[in-house]
């Protein structure tokens, strides 16, 4: 399996529901297990799950990004900026997956949801290592892709 540039190992293939085969059961368990109760919420971006999720997102492994970031999301407190940032990244990955699946209306709806999560975050803070403006830029890029499809 190839490694992501400066990051964790990438899965053997991109999973697109209805198009490619699913990854073997348990393939992501070791990564998700990096999120434990001992990890402070503010430090979740240092876990293997967050690092893999970011690498998967950047490499176009959108389903896989969602899969590993779910473990991070489950560790974040309800109503926290960390939860909103994690949900924003998960839903943006899902929007990009929907583009791949040729479901543009679902992708638009998900982009709107991402904006809602980002609106609840402090626009000047770094949350889990990300700036809100950076993620907003990714939403803009995603919407531009939708306009050309």
């Amino acid at each position: 399996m190839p490694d992501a540039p400066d990051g964790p190992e990438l899965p053997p293939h991109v999973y697109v529901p209805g198009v490619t085969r699913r990854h073997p059961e348990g393939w992501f368990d070791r990564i998700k297990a990096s999120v434990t109760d001992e990890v402070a919420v503010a430090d979740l971006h240092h876990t293997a799950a967050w690092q893999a999720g970011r690498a998967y997102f950047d490499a176009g492994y959108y389903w896989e990004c969602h899969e590993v970031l779910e473990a991070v999301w489950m560790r974040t407190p309800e109503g926290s900026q960390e939860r909103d940032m994690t949900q924003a990244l998960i839903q943006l990955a899902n929007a990009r997956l929907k583009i791949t699946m040729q479901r543009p209306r679902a992708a638009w709806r998900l982009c709107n949801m991402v904006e809602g999560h980002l609106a609840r975050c402090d626009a000047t803070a770094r949350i889990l290592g990300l700036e809100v403006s950076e993620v907003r830029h990714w939403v803009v890029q995603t919407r531009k892709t939708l306009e050309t499809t």
Side-chain angles (χ1 to χ4, degrees), residues 67-122:
E67 180 71 12
V68 297
L69 287 183
E70 189 172 75
V72 175
W73 173 78
M74 289 172 44
R75 175 72 178 86
T76 59
E78 189 75 39
S80 69
Q81 291 189 96
E82 291 85 2
R83 178 165 274 215
D84 275 313
M85 182 58 81
T86 304
Q87 283 184 295
L89 192 54
I90 288 170
Q91 289 175 335
L92 187 56
N94 196 11
R96 290 183 175 189
L97 178 61
K98 297 301 185 214
I99 292 170
T100 302
M101 297 170 68
Q102 300 179 357
R103 296 185 54 203
R105 287 191 351 206
W108 277 106
R109 182 181 55 78
L110 287 159
C111 284
N112 292 338
M113 293 170 72
V114 171
E115 289 288 356
H117 289 297
L118 296 175
R120 289 188 290 276
C121 294
D122 178 351

Side-chain angles (χ1 to χ4, degrees), residues 39-46 82 127-129:
V39 179
V41 172
D43 293 332
L44 286 168
H45 60 294
H46 296 296
E82 291 85 2
I127 304 163
L128 298 176

Side-chain angles (χ1 to χ4, degrees), residues 2 20-21 26 55 58 63 67 89 104 112-114 126 132 146 148:
T20 60
R21 72 186 185 286
D58 291 344
W63 183 91
E67 180 71 12
L89 192 54
N112 292 338
M113 293 170 72
V114 171
R126 277 187 86 70
V132 172
L146 280 164
T148 62

